Amino acid sequence: MLWNRPMLWSAVAVLTAATACAAPSHSATPHPAAEPRQRAEGPSPQTSAVPSGGLRSVGVLLDGEDHWCTASVVDSPRGNVVATAAHCVFEYGTYASGFSFAPGFHGGGKGSAPYGTWKVAAIQVDDRWRKDEDDTTDYAFLTLEPDARGRQVQDVVGAAEPDWSSKPSRRVTVVGYPNPEHNPANRPITCTTDARHDADQPARMVRIECQGFWDGTSGSPWLADYVDPGRPGRVIGVLSGGDTDTESTAVLFGARARALYDKAAHVPVKSTAH
């Protein structure tokens, strides 16, 4: 499988800080509507991704001035968890370290982080990925430290709820950041199209056909029931790779993904406010 990334690595694993941080609690489960209502219509299907305003909760993994993968905030009790692809943060037996998440990143040259940056405190990848880089577990959940003002990322940019039991055939909106050689303005791209299971792939792997998801878009959230930036829907998986520049794949979140998410959501982190 071709993966949409070049990688930047440090030889030392990300370390989890030892003390817990008090933070507002967030709901990790949807609240039922008071009464049934008709579902709003989302965007029409596309065959090519287009530059867009993106989502505040979607951004890049940033190492100094360089970014290499996409990630997004997922709703969690403490408001400090993001999802990305496993190959973005663990490869060849080594964890990435010393990097941050920059939601809403954009702009030419070095780009800018209009909502700030959050340092990654801990990485959760599946044992099957860590041991064998099993394609069916190419997802990861990262725990973020509060920013310099003591804020959790979800309080600043919002989040999409994770879906742990999605069916394969869904209309999805995928938002990601190609690397600068294909995207010198560092603008997010968006494509809405129909996901489906490929009979030649493992059971939980789904694919889309949409041009434009170049290197850098690994980790992009696949959002089902997306309507608009204020109603982003639910994350059913993240972009993991693809055999061509038109085809992209994701692994549907399930019980194994949820177990990683639960670990990420309960990592103790210290406040960096001063």
Side-chain angles (χ1 to χ4, degrees), residues 124-178:
Q124 307 295 336
V125 297
D126 192 280
D127 286 345
R128 293 189 300 187
W129 177 266
R130 195 165 48 81
K131 294 175 182 177
D132 302 316
E133 296 193 358
D134 183 337
D135 290 343
T136 65
T137 58
D138 193 2
Y139 42 72
F141 293 92
L142 315 180
T143 309
L144 307 182
E145 294 182 2
D147 69 2
R149 295 167 59 182
R151 302 176 300 175
Q152 302 290 7
V153 65
Q154 186 172 330
D155 293 324
V156 179
V157 300
E161 293 175 355
D163 186 337
W164 309 115
S165 57
S166 176
K167 60 185 180 182
S169 297
R170 301 288 293 273
R171 179 156 296 173
V172 296
T173 295
V174 183
V175 182
Y177 285 83

Side-chain angles (χ1 to χ4, degrees), residues 7-11 63 86-92 94-97:
M7 270 306 309
L8 303 172
W9 294 104
S10 169
D63 184 359
H87 72 258
C88 292
V89 293
F90 184 92
E91 193 175 37
Y92 307 126
T94 304
Y95 287 94
S97 69

Side-chain angles (χ1 to χ4, degrees), residues 153-247:
V153 65
Q154 186 172 330
D155 293 324
V156 179
V157 300
E161 293 175 355
D163 186 337
W164 309 115
S165 57
S166 176
K167 60 185 180 182
S169 297
R170 301 288 293 273
R171 179 156 296 173
V172 296
T173 295
V174 183
V175 182
Y177 285 83
N179 284 332
E181 56 265 35
H182 291 289
N183 183 26
N186 287 314
R187 292 185 63 186
I189 61 170
T190 300
C191 181
T192 297
T193 188
D194 293 324
R196 62 182 178 85
H197 173 62
D198 187 333
D200 295 330
Q201 299 288 349
R204 297 198 62 79
M205 189 169 288
V206 292
R207 56 176 280 185
I208 59 171
E209 293 183 4
C210 189
Q211 296 179 349
F213 286 96
W214 303 96
D215 290 351
T217 58
S218 285
S220 299
W222 289 33
L223 298 163
D225 302 326
Y226 175 93
V227 177
D228 55 41
R231 294 170 289 180
R234 297 165 67 86
V235 187
I236 66 170
V238 296
L239 194 149
S240 58
D243 293 330
T244 70
D245 292 332
T246 298
E247 178 186 295

Side-chain angles (χ1 to χ4, degrees), residues 59-82:
V60 297
L61 301 181
L62 190 65
D63 184 359
E65 298 177 357
D66 299 310
H67 64 89
W68 72 94
C69 272
T70 301
S72 64
V73 187
V74 291
D75 184 48
S76 65
R78 293 176 179 167
N80 63 346
V81 176
V82 300

